[in-house]
Amino acid sequence: AAVQVDMAIAQTVANLRPAATALLHRLPAYEAPVPVEGMVKLGLDLAEPEKLLEELLAVSLVEPIAQPRIKRVEYQLSPLVVAWLAAQDDVPQPTPALLKSAADFLYYLFEHEDGRHTLPYATTVHHALRRAGEKDRADRLALDTIVGWLSRAGLYQPVLDEWLADIVPSTNPQIKADALNLTGKQHLHLGNFSQALPLFEQSLKIWREIGDKAGEGATLNNISGIYRARGDYDTALAFLEQSLKIWREIGDKAGE
């Protein structure tokens, strides 16, 4: 049965026009369903990419998927076709440029389209960015969005093990400082005060080295939480006063 399926796919692909075959070979750049604009985006250098997509749909190489929650129809390669393409020695892997284009499109949807600003979609975008080699952008998305959602759900240990452990070694100083700070916060939530404090101190050192006042103020505030939890209110107050001074200096009313 598997051989028959492979033969059927091979014959179907052999009957395509060259331009449709070219678009087909690019579509594995997506590992999630996307609206028609996303499919077309990968074939903008080809003549009439919309018609090429229709040709792939007509022979079920690409499948439509109704998404009632976001009131959209999305498209993806049939899983059988994905497996068949991956097994072909003469089918090129998606180029880094294609992977980046696909990741950019998914990120745009996450940021701007109603119904997509969710944790599952954020993890989909994160995976696409990592696959495209955009590690700093993927780390930034994790720190700014995913970690916060998971932490608010009380999933402190999974945040530490599955997300922050991979980000802390970053060579980007701002990302590293933020990851250290958030790692310290998870330990603070878990009551691991002796582990949290050195992480906050490392983060604070980097914020000061790169001149990031907002990061410095937030980390001083977090350090105060350790001393407050220990009952050392004088030290906690001293750190809060340092933090307050910075928020006022930079005009951050929310922080103040």
Side-chain angles (χ1 to χ4, degrees):
V3 171
Q4 287 178 326
V5 168
D6 286 348
M7 290 174 64
I9 294 173
Q11 186 60 54
T12 303
V13 172
N15 291 336
L16 295 173
R17 291 183 294 150
T21 302
L23 179 60
L24 177 71
H25 288 175
R26 298 176 187 185
L27 296 185
Y30 289 114
E31 291 188 337
V34 293
V36 63
E37 308 94 271
M39 292 287 187
V40 169
K41 180 180 174 69
L42 299 185
L44 291 177
D45 60 321
L46 303 172
E48 299 183 301
E50 296 89 347
K51 290 188 177 180
L52 299 178
L53 179 59
E54 290 175 6
E55 188 173 336
L56 300 178
L57 282 163
V59 291
S60 298
L61 295 172
V62 171
E63 299 177 340
I65 300 172
Q67 302 281 20
R69 187 177 58 81
I70 56 174
K71 299 178 181 178
R72 278 273 212 169
V73 175
E74 296 189 319
Y75 301 89
Q76 69 174 11
L77 283 175
S78 161
L80 290 172
V81 177
V82 172
W84 182 84
L85 288 170
Q88 306 310 300
D89 294 334
D90 58 342
V91 174
Q93 294 296 310
T95 65
L98 278 175
L99 292 173
K100 183 179 184 305
S101 183
D104 288 344
F105 182 73
L106 292 171
Y107 191 90
Y108 175 84
L109 293 178
F110 173 73
E111 286 287 307
H112 299 288
E113 193 166 277
D114 290 344
R116 295 192 191 268
H117 206 75
T118 65
L119 177 58
Y121 207 78
T123 58
T124 294
V125 177
H126 179 271
H127 174 71
L129 289 168
R130 288 294 298 265
R131 191 168 171 237
E134 299 277 303
K135 187 175 187 304
D136 279 1
R137 289 177 66 198
D139 288 348
R140 193 71 265 162
L141 175 63
L143 295 173
D144 293 343
T145 304
I146 297 171
V147 166
W149 278 337
L150 294 173
S151 183
R152 285 191 292 274
L155 300 173
Y156 309 127
Q157 198 62 51
V159 167
L160 287 169
D161 297 339
E162 298 169 22
W163 292 94
L164 292 173
D166 182 61
I167 303 176
V168 165
S170 174
T171 57
N172 181 309
Q174 189 172 50
I175 288 174
K176 185 178 185 68
D178 208 356
L180 285 165
N181 187 40
L182 287 170
T183 301
K185 284 187 72 173
Q186 308 314 305
H187 282 294
L188 182 58
H189 292 316
L190 291 166
N192 302 330
F193 305 133
S194 60
Q195 291 173 262
L197 184 57
L199 291 164
F200 287 143
E201 290 171 342
Q202 291 177 63
S203 176
L204 184 63
K205 182 174 184 290
I206 297 172
W207 291 130
R208 285 172 171 167
E209 287 173 352
I210 64 178
D212 190 314
K213 287 292 187 181
E216 182 181 352
T219 305
L220 287 166
N221 187 72
N222 290 335
I223 291 174
S224 77
I226 293 177
Y227 289 99
R228 183 174 68 247
R230 288 174 170 173
D232 187 348
Y233 302 125
D234 289 341
T235 305
L237 181 59
F239 277 104
L240 285 173
E241 287 170 339
Q242 293 179 61
S243 178
L244 180 61
K245 183 172 183 289
I246 290 173
W247 293 126
R248 285 175 171 165
E249 285 175 358
I250 64 178
D252 188 319
K253 288 294 184 182
E256 183 180 348

